[in-house]
Amino acid sequence: MEDLYITHAIPNGNTMATSTYVCGLCFEEHVVGFCNNCSLRLCHKCLSNHTKVVMFNDHQVVPFKPTTITGHVEMSIHEVKCRVHKTDSKSLYCGKHDVTICGRCVLSAHMACKDEIVDLYNTKFDERNAGELLSTLNKLEETINVLGASFDENVKLSDDCQEKYAKSIEEFRNKLNTRLDKLQSIAENAGKSKHTQNRSKLDQVQEQCKQTKRFITEQRDLIHEMSQKKKGGELYVFSKRFEQKMNEINALVERVRQNNCIQTYSFEENVKMRLAFENNFNEIGRLDEACVDSEEVNEISKESDVNDWKTQPNATQYSRSCE
């Protein structure tokens, strides 16, 4: 049977010793060893680098041995032979390093731990402690079962949430599109109106030019006819009236000349709107988070007597937060 020391499996199938304590130096990683001089529990990285520091190069660091808990207890723990001292049984427990050792181990590596060494021959089975441990595990299992039962519901809730989220974005975008389409339509209609005014004005100029040409043609033909027929009287009267007609025609031509122009136009963008989109609108909206917990799980967690197992050396502690 291996040492009774909880380990966590890692992906390659090996195990690495760990404990409920975090490294006394980096305060981040799990403990895998101990410095007898500093009396600090160390993680793998800090354990490897500890004696490399000049002021610590004479320190005695003790790595915890990678072990696992077996599924069955086939013999008493103090009957298991020491790996280092093959003929001696591991009848002692070092609380400082959380490892079972033999008497010779005390002399070789655990002299500084004498106040925390327990003789396993003197320990008795604690029925109450076993019951509390089982009770803690049962409550934890109940919590996990409730979480498992709510998994499908939470998956559906998550999918629904994403669907509503995407739909809300699309609806908001459609609102923006509708507003922009309306503003675009107003701007386009203003241009079309001005274009229609210009075209109407030009059409009038064109028609007046045609009328003037017809008048000129008619008057020229009439003069040719009177000249051919030698109509002196008619020509005299015509010439008297011609001056007045020419004054009218010249006035018409002047109006045509004045009206033969258009009012140009161009689109001037709304600078405030463009700058607002470019500089002020960095997001179309924001993701508003809300935490949805299972009330049943929360109630079970509140009922659990965590104080009993929180003080156990190998108890795994965790907290859940939602921002």
Side-chain angles (χ1 to χ4, degrees):
M1 188 183 79
E2 303 290 346
D3 250 344
L4 289 179
Y5 185 81
I6 294 179
T7 63
H8 293 283
I10 56 178
N12 62 8
N14 297 327
T15 57
M16 180 180 67
T18 182
S19 74
T20 57
Y21 302 104
V22 293
C23 178
L25 289 180
C26 68
F27 301 102
E28 294 180 357
E29 302 297 331
H30 290 297
V31 171
V32 297
F34 188 82
C35 176
N36 288 328
N37 301 80
C38 297
S39 295
L40 287 176
R41 294 177 173 84
L42 304 173
C43 67
H44 178 73
K45 183 177 181 180
C46 293
L47 183 71
S48 301
N49 297 328
H50 191 60
T51 55
K52 295 179 182 178
V53 180
V54 176
M55 62 184 300
F56 300 141
N57 58 15
D58 60 342
H59 282 201
Q60 182 183 15
V61 293
V62 181
F64 295 151
K65 297 176 182 178
T67 57
T68 58
I69 295 180
T70 58
H72 302 282
V73 180
E74 298 177 354
M75 64 175 69
S76 298
I77 187 172
H78 52 264
E79 295 176 356
V80 179
K81 296 299 180 182
C82 179
R83 289 184 175 181
V84 179
H85 309 101
K86 305 294 186 181
T87 59
D88 292 8
S89 298
K90 295 191 288 186
S91 59
L92 303 173
Y93 171 76
C94 176
K96 193 173 187 178
H97 297 121
D98 191 16
V99 65
T100 53
I101 58 177
C102 70
R104 293 167 66 186
C105 287
V106 175
L107 298 176
S108 63
H110 296 270
M111 287 298 293
C113 314
K114 59 182 180 179
D115 293 335
E116 296 190 43
I117 291 179
V118 177
D119 188 345
L120 296 177
Y121 278 106
N122 297 330
T123 60
K124 296 181 180 180
F125 182 76
D126 190 338
E127 190 74 35
R128 180 180 177 182
N129 185 31
E132 290 174 349
L133 293 173
L134 289 174
S135 177
T136 298
L137 291 175
N138 290 337
K139 291 177 181 178
L140 179 61
E141 183 180 25
E142 185 179 355
T143 301
I144 294 299
N145 288 338
V146 173
L147 288 173
S150 62
F151 174 78
D152 291 340
E153 179 181 349
N154 287 335
V155 168
K156 184 179 184 304
L157 180 62
S158 177
D159 292 342
D160 292 343
C161 181
Q162 172 58 25
E163 183 179 352
K164 292 179 181 178
Y165 179 77
K167 185 177 181 181
S168 297
I169 294 177
E170 183 179 1
E171 289 176 350
F172 180 63
R173 176 61 185 269
N174 289 337
K175 289 180 181 179
L176 294 178
N177 288 345
T178 299
R179 179 58 178 167
L180 290 174
D181 288 345
K182 183 176 181 180
L183 295 177
Q184 179 179 345
S185 178
I186 292 174
E188 289 176 345
N189 289 336
K192 291 178 180 178
S193 176
K194 183 57 63 177
H195 176 264
T196 300
Q197 292 177 12
N198 284 337
R199 186 55 187 269
S200 176
K201 191 175 183 180
L202 293 175
D203 288 344
Q204 291 178 3
V205 168
Q206 185 180 31
E207 181 61 28
Q208 289 171 347
C209 288
K210 290 180 180 179
Q211 292 178 1
T212 303
K213 282 186 176 183
R214 285 197 296 268
F215 171 79
I216 293 172
T217 300
E218 290 173 357
Q219 299 303 308
R220 181 185 292 115
D221 291 343
L222 183 58
I223 292 174
H224 285 314
E225 183 180 359
M226 288 186 295
S227 297
Q228 290 175 358
K229 294 181 178 180
K230 307 297 183 183
K231 299 288 185 177
E234 285 80 355
L235 181 61
Y236 176 83
V237 175
F238 176 85
S239 62
K240 292 295 182 181
R241 296 174 178 175
F242 183 74
E243 183 178 357
Q244 181 179 356
K245 289 182 179 181
M246 284 302 302
N247 290 336
E248 294 177 357
I249 293 298
N250 287 333
L252 177 61
V253 171
E254 180 61 22
R255 288 196 300 271
V256 170
R257 185 184 66 80
Q258 293 176 356
N259 291 334
N260 189 25
C261 63
I262 63 169
Q263 186 175 3
T264 60
Y265 56 94
S266 62
F267 175 72
E268 182 180 354
E269 65 181 24
N270 187 329
V271 178
K272 290 183 178 180
M273 177 182 287
R274 177 175 59 80
L275 292 178
F277 271 98
E278 291 178 353
N279 302 325
N280 299 335
F281 300 153
N282 296 322
E283 54 185 15
I284 193 172
R286 67 184 182 90
L287 190 150
D288 188 14
E289 293 183 285
C291 187
V292 180
D293 277 331
S294 170
E295 295 181 358
E296 187 175 359
V297 171
N298 287 338
E299 289 300 321
I300 293 176
S301 298
K302 292 177 182 178
E303 293 174 359
S304 298
D305 188 7
V306 296
N307 291 327
D308 289 342
W309 62 275
K310 188 180 291 185
T311 56
Q312 297 297 326
N314 295 323
T316 302
Q317 304 175 32
Y318 73 95
S319 63
R320 183 178 186 275
S321 63
C322 183
E323 298 177 355

